[in-house]
Amino acid sequence: MLACEESTEPVEEEVFGEGKVATAVDLGLSVEWASWNIGGEMPADYGLYFQWGATSTESSYYDAIGESICATQHDAAHILWGEGWRMPTTDEISELVSDANCSWEWTTEINSHGTEINGYLVTSKKEGYTENSIFLPASGETGWSAKIGTIGFLWSGSAATVIDSKGTTVAYGLDFIDEMYTINSYTRDHRFPIRPVRSK
C-alpha cells in the first residue's frame, strides 16, 4: 500500500468552481469512464477532494459499514452529476488496471490553468476502442500531503469490510505513481478526487 505521507506544509487545492459534467469515454469495458474528475473542466484538472461518502467538500465522511455507496445519497457523482453517473466499484477499477484491457503510460497533459500535470494516459486495448483513452492526473490528496504531482488517488464507491488498527472504517480507492497502479484501502477521512463512471 502506498503511504499517505505528511509534510509540514499544507498543499493548496486547485479549485475550478463547481466544474463541468464530463463527457463519457467508452474504453470497451463494462462502464463508460468520465473524461475528468468531479470539479474539473479538463482531463488534467485535479478537481475537488472529498472524504469518502461525502457529497460536498465541506461535509464529513460516511462512517457506516456497508458494501457500496454507488448511486446512493452518499455518492458524490450520483448527487452532483446525476444522469446515470456514479462512483466506480472496485470491480470496475480492476477492469481499468488490467493489463489485458488497457495500457498505462506515465505522461503529462495541460490543465485548465495552463499548467503541465503528471499522470497516466489510460488507453483501451479492446478491439474497436483502441483510439479511446482517459487521463488520470497525479492529484495527491488535499490537506497535508506533499504528493501532488507524484501520486494519484481516486475513490471507489466500495466499502472495505475491515477496520484499521485505530478502529476507523476504511474504503477502497485507486492509487498510482510512475510504473505502478493498484487498488488499496484507506481510512474514509482522507480527501481524494472522484472519477465517475456511467453504465452503457
Side-chain angles (χ1 to χ4, degrees):
M1 179 183 296
L2 294 176
C4 296
E5 298 179 11
E6 293 186 350
S7 73
T8 57
E9 295 294 327
V11 174
E12 183 177 349
E13 178 179 340
E14 286 196 340
V15 177
F16 300 94
E18 294 300 317
K20 299 177 180 178
V21 175
T23 55
V25 179
D26 192 348
L27 300 173
L29 306 178
S30 63
V31 292
E32 297 175 323
W33 283 82
S35 50
W36 56 74
N37 295 342
I38 293 177
E41 298 179 358
M42 294 177 64
D45 293 345
Y46 298 145
L48 299 173
Y49 295 72
F50 299 84
Q51 291 187 340
W52 190 84
T55 58
S56 76
T57 56
E58 291 79 26
S59 57
S60 59
Y61 67 108
Y62 177 56
D63 199 40
I65 286 288
E67 293 183 358
S68 175
I69 58 169
C70 295
T72 72
Q73 62 178 328
H74 301 291
D75 181 337
H78 174 68
I79 297 299
L80 298 177
W81 281 10
E83 296 185 359
W85 291 106
R86 59 174 173 80
M87 296 169 73
T89 65
T90 50
D91 286 343
E92 290 156 358
I93 294 176
S94 293
E95 281 188 322
L96 192 70
V97 302
S98 169
D99 290 334
N101 293 332
C102 296
S103 63
W104 287 60
E105 178 189 1
W106 187 258
T107 186
T108 60
E109 288 197 9
I110 303 299
N111 71 3
S112 294
H113 297 316
T115 304
E116 193 173 79
I117 301 298
N118 294 329
Y120 269 109
L121 183 66
V122 183
T123 303
S124 177
K125 292 182 178 179
K126 295 289 189 179
E127 184 177 355
Y129 299 91
T130 55
E131 299 299 315
N132 297 348
S133 62
I134 58 174
F135 182 76
L136 303 178
S139 52
E141 63 167 315
T142 194
W144 298 99
S145 174
K147 297 303 183 182
I148 288 178
T150 303
I151 298 178
F153 299 96
L154 294 167
W155 279 127
S156 81
S158 299
T161 56
V162 296
I163 298 176
D164 74 1
S165 59
K166 296 180 181 179
T168 306
T169 52
V170 299
Y172 291 111
L174 169 67
D175 65 38
F176 52 89
I177 58 175
D178 188 6
E179 299 184 354
M180 197 279 285
Y181 37 91
T182 188
I183 297 172
N184 277 321
S185 59
Y186 301 94
T187 56
R188 302 180 186 187
D189 54 345
H190 283 294
R191 293 184 183 271
F192 297 153
I194 294 171
R195 179 62 64 96
V197 297
R198 190 172 70 181
S199 298
K200 293 183 178 181

